[in-house]
Amino acid sequence: MELSKNFEPQITDNKWYNHWLDKNYFKSTPDNREAYTIVMPPPNVTGVLHMGHCLNNTIQDILIRRARMKGYNTCWVPGTDHASIATEAKVVGMLRERGITKSSLSREEFLSYAWEWKEKYGGIILQQLKKLGCSLDWDRTSFTMDKEYYDSVIKVFVDLHKKGIIYRGKRMINWDVKALTALSDEEVIRKETKQKLYHLKYKLENSDEPIIIATVRPETIMGDAAICVHPNDERYKNLHGKFAFVPLINRRIPIIADEYVSMDFGTGALKVTPAHDVNDYALGQKHNLETIDIFNDNGTLSEAAQIYIGQDRFEVRKKIAVELEEKGFLLKTEEYTSEVGYSERTDVVVEPRLSLQWWLSMKDIATPALKVVMEEEIKFYPPKFKNVYRHWMENIKDWCISRQLWWGHRIPAWYDEEGNYVVAENEKEAIQEFSKKYGKSNLTIKQDEDCLDTWFSSWLWPFEVFKGYSNPNNDEINYYYPTNTLVTGPDIIFFWVARMIMAGLEYKKQIPFKEVYFTGTVRDKLGRKMSKSLGNSPDLLGLIDQYGADATRFGIMIASPAGNDILFDETALEQGRNFNNKIWNALKLIKMWEPRQSDTYQEENQFAINWFENRLDEVSKDVDNMMQQFRLSESLKTIYSLIWDDFCSWYLEWIKPGFENPINSSTYKKTVTFFTELMQLIHPFMPFVSEEIYHHLEKRNDDLCIKQLSNSKPFDSFTLSTGQLLKNTISGIRDVRNKQQLKPKETIQLFIQTDNENTYKSIESILSKQLNTSSINFTKENIAGSFTTIIDRDKFYVVTEKPIDSTNQKAELEKELNHLKGFLISVEKKLSNEKFVQNAKPEVLAIEQKKKADAESKIKTINDSLELLN
């Protein structure tokens, strides 16, 4: 079969993915092998594949494919999250297009539309992951609102309520005025925001002098319940216990003293609005102040505000500033920058609000979850995130778990007409609970309208995808749990990672995973986070269509060290495509040799074979070590260099037969073996091109996808150093040829002045072939009439028929001499630094001392050469 000019992923990718699926290679059932398990962080059911998913899932696929090739029973579980806020917004949008409002529908009607949307659009992202080559066990696809999963979430709520961990209480919460729901603290993003600081005059009772307060929120003055000053502030000591009047509405409010107030912020006098600020609420509780909520759910002003009723809070801010100025209450405004909380989902400014919600007490449930990470029962990669985790866990607050939404897990609380409530799994059990708790029967009861926070369901993910709660101690949960590696972004370390650890310890008495690999954030090449609004988020499916899945995976992985942000540049995908084609061209070259095999022994190939075999063993061991430390990007770079440089640029050149000459059959077979092992190494990173080449190299009865990696073997360092010497020598003499404009066809005589004669003799045949020499000789004397160069510590004389330009050669040597002298000064400076010598590791010191000795040796050799030319 004739091979195409370049690798063609558009043809190859689908062919092999469907083949792997047909062979059930990704399917897992418990057996006697050791399991290697990853549960996919479930993308939102609303999601479409983007660069963050590409990075996260490529990493998971690399780990799973390599584990599969190491003999593990691999299980990678796919699934989606119901994503309450995001999905409800999508459904409301769909209804709006049909001329339907959510308020016109019953809960059941709305949910029927939500399920319609989910069945039509939900899970698109999972199908897209197939294009990326993800080797998921698709038969295990889970959804956080599957029947058994849903029931487990409800049962966990009931259980934690019985234990007193879940409670109902009125507290300050974060309110999303667009999604019309409460948010947890973790769902609020703090952003530096430019605002104005308004200095307002509050009229004092029985005085012509006003008290000045500074606020960034003049629209909330109608909710003011007091003015607070520091008890030690001399400016206001005479006002303690006095009263002032709120501008525009003239409400009489007390002036109170509390150490909470900062004397040096603003004017030192603080307006206290208990209903609309967390700290003000605490002050209000302490001083028994009235709580006046002036906002409706949607961020418009309520009747309690008395003025601007029904108008949006930010519109009111503009209008009230004008009115305050017109009526003499606004003294001045200043530009001011401070952190403001925004909803993670809707990006609107969050409104602090007093609200009756359901809460989960975190302190006791968090303590064991902190311990397992700090004692490294669960290891974080990179470990710097341990401190981030510790700080949050040690300062943890109770979790607001109720959301004012319909799409999700409905809170299993039931109320009677008097407002009494019970918590039960269903209505029948609720009636029984009312009878036990309140002695009531024949009741009309109603279920809580709210849903649970999406994260309250996904914290069960690592065990409930194996029915670990709904069907305890089943064969699968006992085999696959705890899982091995979680791959996720550090942005959800609190939302999800910490809570999964809590749930795993609470309900399985085991950690949910052994390692957590934190990816970085994918940014554009200017360092900006990718977003639709900036227009800098590439069409990932378009990139896969253009470059192929392998090149896309290569492009995202080649520059993605764990935990560090990735500056994505499409040129990395071009590099991946070029790499595909480089490997493909190597295949075409080798296949050209296949019919030209002979039994003629070619001694010059033996060193090349020995060297590359050792190089392959060395890299295999290095990759093993790097993969164990989750240094995936370094592993890819190492394999890339092995294939591109060592195999294609060096090894194949060394063994390449002359034009129309045969190749020794054992050399050919060994080369196919090497190529096969290289494809095994690269397969987890680039599965399609490697599988295709594996089958082109020779007829196979198996597939690379499941071919077992052999254990790395010991390697011979001397052979490797000799190979490096060979590469350096070839590069150095070719450099002389180029500088002297000697054509490759022109033969040269090569004289080598060295103490290492035997080593050079072992590679003499390759040197002669690669450098086109008529002879290679060893000498103790300088050779007159030659071009001279120094490579490592050895001196080389190149003799040709071309006359020597001694002036030019002298200039080249002097340039090299000046460079070496400068280098030697910098090394000597470092070695004369006592602090460096005392603190440096012995191996670092040895490297610097070798640099010094090598530089001195080369300087002496160049000086000898210059004397010869004078």
Side-chain angles (χ1 to χ4, degrees):
M1 180 179 140
E2 189 176 343
L3 295 172
S4 57
K5 181 183 176 185
N6 291 317
F7 176 63
E8 296 178 338
Q10 295 78 8
I11 297 169
T12 306
D13 291 8
N14 284 339
K15 176 185 80 175
W16 284 117
Y17 197 85
N18 290 329
H19 173 78
W20 296 327
L21 288 178
D22 291 343
K23 291 283 190 176
N24 285 323
Y25 289 153
F26 309 157
K27 188 173 173 59
S28 177
T29 52
D31 59 25
N32 58 3
R33 290 174 294 167
E34 186 178 344
Y36 183 88
T37 313
I38 295 178
V39 290
M40 172 196 285
N44 287 354
V45 75
T46 58
V48 176
L49 205 61
H50 58 60
M51 295 311 296
H53 295 128
C54 176
L55 172 64
N56 188 291
N57 287 285
T58 297
I59 289 168
Q60 290 174 77
D61 195 44
I62 290 165
L63 297 174
I64 280 285
R65 285 183 181 273
R66 188 169 169 84
R68 188 180 292 122
M69 297 171 84
K70 285 278 190 180
Y72 291 92
N73 184 354
T74 56
C75 180
W76 184 14
V77 181
T80 50
D81 189 287
H82 66 282
S84 292
I85 295 176
T87 305
E88 188 143 327
K90 291 280 188 184
V91 176
V92 168
M94 176 186 79
L95 292 172
R96 191 185 302 118
E97 289 174 5
R98 300 182 189 181
I100 305 169
T101 60
K102 180 185 173 184
S103 58
S104 70
L105 300 173
S106 68
R107 186 188 194 101
E108 289 68 30
E109 288 169 334
F110 178 82
L111 289 177
S112 71
Y113 282 115
W115 280 105
E116 176 196 327
W117 187 94
K118 186 265 175 187
E119 294 306 319
K120 188 172 181 180
Y121 299 107
I124 287 175
I125 191 167
L126 297 182
Q127 296 306 311
Q128 292 173 334
L129 286 171
K130 293 179 179 179
K131 291 200 73 171
L132 196 58
C134 295
S135 55
L136 290 140
D137 185 348
W138 295 107
D139 291 343
R140 295 181 177 277
T141 304
S142 294
F143 177 51
T144 49
M145 281 176 59
D146 287 338
K147 176 70 171 66
E148 286 176 307
Y149 200 114
Y150 189 105
D151 292 346
S152 294
V153 173
I154 300 306
K155 286 176 181 177
V156 165
F157 183 99
V158 173
D159 177 64
L160 291 176
H161 183 263
K162 279 180 184 171
K163 291 173 178 172
I165 295 172
I166 286 178
Y167 64 93
R168 191 167 179 248
K170 197 168 191 178
R171 295 173 56 176
M172 289 299 287
I173 52 103
N174 307 292
W175 183 259
D176 186 324
V177 300
K178 186 173 181 182
L180 302 180
T181 182
L183 303 172
S184 68
D185 289 344
E186 291 73 40
E187 291 169 295
V188 177
I189 309 299
R190 311 295 302 181
K191 297 182 190 177
E192 288 281 320
T193 306
K194 288 183 179 178
Q195 302 178 88
K196 284 187 167 59
L197 191 62
Y198 300 84
H199 291 252
L200 304 180
K201 301 175 187 176
Y202 282 58
K203 187 176 180 298
L204 291 168
E205 189 175 56
N206 301 322
S207 172
D208 293 332
E209 290 296 315
I211 183 169
I212 310 298
I213 65 98
T215 179
V216 292
R217 302 202 65 191
E219 72 277 11
T220 64
I221 63 173
M222 294 80 78
D224 289 356
I227 291 172
C228 190
V229 296
H230 194 284
N232 298 332
D233 195 331
E234 294 293 339
R235 294 170 293 178
Y236 302 118
K237 277 192 172 179
N238 63 321
L239 298 179
H240 296 183
K242 301 288 178 64
F243 291 85
F245 295 91
V246 177
L248 304 183
I249 61 169
N250 216 33
R251 180 190 298 123
R252 183 172 178 263
I253 56 174
I255 298 171
I256 61 174
D258 196 287
E259 290 181 348
Y260 165 74
V261 178
S262 174
M263 287 189 278
D264 56 3
F265 175 75
T267 64
L270 175 80
K271 67 189 277 300
V272 183
T273 318
H276 300 294
D277 183 273
V278 175
N279 298 315
D280 288 11
Y281 177 69
L283 274 175
Q285 292 289 291
K286 184 177 176 181
H287 294 275
N288 200 27
L289 301 174
E290 185 181 4
T291 301
I292 307 159
D293 187 348
I294 65 162
F295 288 130
N296 295 315
D297 289 355
N298 63 358
T300 59
L301 271 65
S302 68
E303 290 189 5
Q306 303 179 44
I307 54 177
Y308 297 106
I309 296 164
Q311 297 185 46
D312 180 77
R313 54 190 171 154
F314 292 119
E315 284 303 311
V316 173
R317 181 178 296 182
K318 295 174 192 172
K319 291 178 180 178
I320 205 168
V322 173
E323 185 178 355
L324 287 165
E325 186 171 25
E326 287 174 350
K327 294 184 175 176
F329 292 110
L330 180 61
L331 179 66
K332 65 176 180 177
T333 61
E334 297 173 340
E335 293 299 321
Y336 182 69
T337 300
S338 66
E339 279 196 349
V340 174
Y342 288 77
S343 167
E344 186 219 10
R345 286 286 173 212
T346 62
D347 202 37
V348 297
V349 173
V350 165
E351 197 59 58
R353 194 175 191 199
L354 190 62
S355 182
L356 185 61
Q357 301 284 345
W358 290 92
W359 302 82
L360 196 150
S361 177
M362 297 294 272
K363 190 175 179 185
D364 291 340
I365 203 170
T367 302
L370 174 60
K371 185 170 181 277
V372 293
V373 171
M374 298 319 292
E375 293 181 359
E376 295 201 340
E377 191 177 342
I378 297 174
K379 289 185 176 178
F380 282 3
Y381 296 89
K384 67 181 180 182
F385 288 108
K386 269 177 68 177
N387 286 331
V388 177
Y389 181 84
R390 179 182 56 78
H391 179 75
W392 184 74
M393 294 290 272
E394 288 177 349
N395 297 280
I396 201 163
K397 295 177 184 176
D398 285 359
W399 175 14
C400 177
I401 57 172
S402 45
R403 298 290 179 271
Q404 288 61 56
L405 300 163
W406 283 351
W407 173 251
H409 304 81
R410 192 172 182 181
I411 290 174
W414 308 78
Y415 303 86
D416 66 12
E417 291 172 345
E418 296 172 15
N420 300 311
Y421 74 88
V422 296
V423 169
E425 288 180 31
N426 52 53
E427 189 172 1
K428 183 181 176 183
E429 289 182 14
I431 290 169
Q432 292 170 357
E433 282 294 314
F434 265 108
S435 179
K436 282 185 206 171
K437 191 172 180 180
Y438 300 107
K440 295 181 177 183
S441 56
N442 299 320
L443 287 170
T444 300
I445 61 173
K446 189 178 179 185
Q447 189 175 353
D448 199 307
E449 288 290 324
D450 291 350
C451 278
L452 288 160
D453 178 9
T454 295
W455 300 104
F456 189 87
S457 55
S458 55
W459 74 330
L460 311 181
W461 190 252
F463 56 82
E464 191 47 32
V465 294
F466 300 112
K467 309 292 187 287
Y469 187 81
S470 51
N471 182 18
N473 290 318
N474 70 72
D475 289 344
E476 296 215 330
I477 190 69
N478 291 337
Y479 180 73
Y480 293 115
Y481 188 91
T483 67
N484 291 74
T485 309
L486 175 74
V487 180
T488 188
D491 53 328
I492 56 173
I493 189 171
F494 313 129
F495 284 126
W496 195 46
V497 179
R499 290 168 181 166
M500 281 190 290
I501 296 171
M502 293 175 203
L505 294 171
E506 179 70 20
Y507 286 107
K508 299 309 298 174
K509 309 305 176 193
Q510 281 180 292
I511 56 173
F513 28 72
K514 297 161 192 168
E515 301 141 340
V516 183
Y517 177 102
F518 290 106
T519 68
T521 301
V522 184
R523 300 182 180 276
D524 67 15
K525 55 188 175 184
L526 299 176
R528 302 174 302 175
K529 194 170 181 179
M530 289 184 171
S531 69
K532 286 181 185 175
S533 59
L534 285 174
N536 63 346
S537 187
D539 172 14
L540 182 55
L541 293 173
L543 292 176
I544 293 173
D545 287 339
Q546 182 180 353
Y547 294 98
D550 288 330
T552 305
R553 290 163 66 115
F554 177 96
I556 197 78
M557 286 305 303
I558 200 70
S560 58
N564 292 337
D565 288 353
I566 296 100
L567 299 182
F568 176 76
D569 190 336
E570 201 171 317
T571 55
L573 273 68
E574 292 172 12
Q575 186 184 357
R577 181 173 61 191
N578 293 342
F579 186 36
N580 272 340
N581 291 332
K582 181 79 170 178
I583 306 171
W584 191 252
N585 285 331
L587 169 70
K588 288 162 69 178
L589 177 66
I590 291 168
K591 294 303 284 183
M592 279 171 55
W593 299 342
E594 188 175 27
R596 291 160 52 189
Q597 296 176 66
S598 87
D599 293 330
T600 308
Y601 180 64
Q602 293 164 324
E603 186 182 351
E604 66 269 21
N605 290 343
Q606 199 52 52
F607 175 80
I609 291 168
N610 290 343
W611 169 75
F612 193 77
E613 191 159 29
N614 280 280
R615 185 77 184 104
L616 193 52
D617 290 336
E618 180 186 34
V619 168
S620 296
K621 186 175 181 180
D622 287 347
V623 168
D624 274 345
N625 292 334
M626 286 186 278
M627 292 297 289
Q628 284 168 17
Q629 298 166 43
F630 291 91
R631 289 155 56 197
L632 274 67
S633 185
E634 286 179 68
S635 296
L636 176 57
K637 287 174 184 172
T638 302
I639 299 167
Y640 172 81
S641 176
L642 176 70
I643 295 173
W644 189 293
D645 297 327
D646 293 328
F647 185 69
C648 295
S649 299
W650 292 112
Y651 173 77
L652 292 182
E653 285 299 312
W654 293 349
I655 64 155
K656 186 160 84 174
F659 182 65
E660 293 189 348
N661 287 344
I663 186 168
N664 173 256
S665 58
S666 63
T667 300
Y668 178 81
K669 286 175 182 136
K670 200 69 181 171
T671 302
V672 169
T673 300
F674 290 155
F675 209 161
T676 299
E677 290 180 26
L678 290 172
M679 292 304 95
Q680 278 186 281
L681 271 181
I682 199 67
H683 178 79
F685 297 89
M686 302 173 77
F688 296 110
V689 68
S690 54
E691 187 76 80
E692 180 75 3
I693 287 174
Y694 178 73
H695 285 274
H696 276 299
L697 279 169
E698 57 184 337
K699 192 171 181 180
R700 313 278 190 179
N701 295 317
D702 63 349
D703 291 311
L704 186 62
C705 180
I706 56 164
K707 187 175 176 65
Q708 299 301 287
L709 282 161
S710 54
N711 294 325
S712 54
K713 302 184 287 291
F715 53 87
D716 179 46
S717 298
F718 179 74
T719 301
L720 292 174
S721 64
T722 303
Q724 191 59 51
L725 178 71
L726 175 58
K727 291 195 286 182
N728 292 348
T729 304
I730 292 169
S731 298
I733 302 303
R734 281 177 178 169
D735 188 46
V736 171
R737 274 183 170 276
N738 289 335
K739 284 176 180 173
Q740 303 304 327
Q741 298 180 339
L742 295 173
K743 293 176 183 175
K745 287 183 179 180
E746 292 180 51
T747 58
I748 60 170
Q749 287 178 279
L750 185 64
F751 293 84
I752 308 174
Q753 197 174 78
T754 180
D755 296 328
N756 203 10
E757 198 171 304
N758 287 336
T759 303
Y760 280 103
K761 282 182 176 176
S762 70
I763 54 177
E764 188 175 338
S765 59
I766 297 178
L767 267 180
S768 180
K769 175 182 167 185
Q770 294 292 303
L771 298 175
N772 192 16
T773 66
S774 58
S775 65
I776 296 178
N777 300 288
F778 297 92
T779 180
K780 299 292 183 187
E781 307 295 328
N782 292 331
I783 304 297
S786 65
F787 301 110
T788 311
T789 189
I790 293 95
I791 301 167
D792 295 335
R793 289 191 181 190
D794 298 328
K795 194 169 182 181
F796 293 79
Y797 305 93
V798 177
V799 177
T800 75
E801 294 177 3
K802 184 176 179 178
I804 291 177
D805 181 350
S806 59
T807 306
N808 186 43
Q809 186 170 8
K810 189 176 177 183
E812 287 285 341
L813 288 169
E814 285 175 343
K815 183 180 174 183
E816 176 70 7
L817 182 64
N818 290 332
H819 167 74
L820 283 167
K821 283 179 176 177
F823 176 74
L824 181 61
I825 288 167
S826 68
V827 174
E828 286 175 334
K829 189 175 179 182
K830 194 180 280 188
L831 288 170
S832 64
N833 183 330
E834 286 184 25
K835 195 173 180 183
F836 169 76
V837 173
Q838 287 169 2
N839 296 327
K841 291 179 181 178
E843 59 268 28
V844 173
L845 204 57
I847 289 168
E848 293 303 317
Q849 286 165 340
K850 185 176 185 304
K851 284 180 185 175
K852 179 175 182 286
D854 285 350
E856 287 171 340
S857 174
K858 286 182 179 180
I859 287 169
K860 182 180 182 304
T861 305
I862 290 174
N863 281 327
D864 290 345
S865 298
L866 285 169
E867 277 183 31
L868 197 66
L869 289 169
N870 286 333

